Amino acid sequence: MDLSDFNETPELKQSEKELRQKLEENASRLEWANQSIRTLYNSVPGGIFRCYFDDKLTLQEMSDGFLSMVGYTVEEVHEELKDSLRSLIHPDDYDIAIKDVCEQLKKGNTKEIHYRLRCKDGHFISVLDKGTLLKDSEGNESFYCIVVDISKTKEMEEELRLSLGR
């Protein structure tokens, strides 16, 4: 056997060219899909985040809307909060929220809870958090969540309650 046995045939060169073209087309489609998802991700009213279902609810991803809602940058969440969603949840709400989540997870992999988040300026907002718990290929559990600021609704409910009490 000599080196001439390894020479590429015209057919092999054509197949390689076609394969490269298909790879480029698929890469282009994947890039477009990724850009579309990112645009949708950042266009949702409220915010989106992904966090591990661990003790500190470690934040893995956050949309621009979520960051705007709480007033932090990605860097500040990482450096000041150590990527902990738990550090933003009002201490009086955390145990109740986790208990609610655990009860809801007995029925499926979704949750819908209310709690207060501390914003960077120190004030709290009430949020509705709807999420789904998924496992990755390594067995890590993460919540994919949408949060909406419902502070105005909560204020109106309280005003109505007080008004009816009178």
Side-chain angles (χ1 to χ4, degrees):
M1 187 179 275
D2 65 24
L3 289 177
S4 64
D5 293 336
F6 295 104
N7 288 338
E8 292 184 11
T9 64
E11 295 84 15
L12 186 58
K13 285 182 181 181
Q14 180 62 30
S15 293
E16 183 180 323
K17 182 180 176 183
E18 289 171 3
L19 183 57
R20 285 184 193 275
Q21 184 178 358
K22 286 186 182 192
L23 284 172
E24 288 173 12
E25 289 171 6
N26 285 340
S28 178
R29 276 190 237 134
L30 187 58
E31 177 59 33
W32 182 85
N34 190 29
Q35 187 176 9
S36 296
I37 289 169
R38 179 59 64 189
T39 299
L40 179 62
Y41 183 76
N42 285 318
S43 299
V44 170
I48 298 175
F49 65 84
R50 179 170 62 105
C51 70
Y52 283 130
F53 191 30
D54 59 8
D55 188 50
K56 71 178 203 172
L57 301 174
T58 306
L59 288 161
Q60 299 164 286
E61 292 182 58
M62 298 159 284
S63 71
D64 294 344
F66 177 78
L67 293 167
S68 176
M69 187 183 299
V70 294
Y72 287 91
T73 65
V74 172
E75 293 80 17
E76 290 169 333
V77 170
H78 179 67
E79 293 169 13
E80 296 174 27
L81 305 175
K82 307 297 183 224
D83 297 318
S84 172
L85 176 64
R86 181 179 183 166
S87 67
L88 292 175
I89 297 174
H90 193 289
D92 294 344
D93 296 351
Y94 179 78
D95 289 335
I96 295 166
I98 293 297
K99 182 181 174 201
D100 286 349
V101 167
C102 291
E103 286 298 315
Q104 292 176 36
L105 290 178
K106 290 177 183 176
K107 300 173 187 154
N109 68 334
T110 61
K111 67 173 173 120
E112 182 174 323
I113 56 174
H114 299 94
Y115 53 88
R116 291 169 288 175
L117 282 176
R118 180 181 46 82
C119 298
K120 184 177 179 182
D121 66 7
H123 85 282
F124 284 89
I125 58 172
S126 294
V127 295
L128 168 64
D129 175 337
K130 293 183 83 164
T132 301
L133 184 65
L134 298 175
K135 280 188 183 180
D136 66 18
S137 59
E138 297 169 4
N140 299 312
E141 294 182 316
S142 295
F143 272 111
Y144 292 74
C145 304
I146 296 176
V147 289
V148 178
D149 184 348
I150 58 168
S151 299
K152 296 225 183 313
T153 303
K154 288 288 190 180
E155 289 171 15
M156 289 179 3
E157 285 176 358
E158 182 61 16
E159 286 176 20
L160 179 60
R161 188 186 67 77
L162 292 173
S163 177
L164 290 173
R166 290 186 208 122

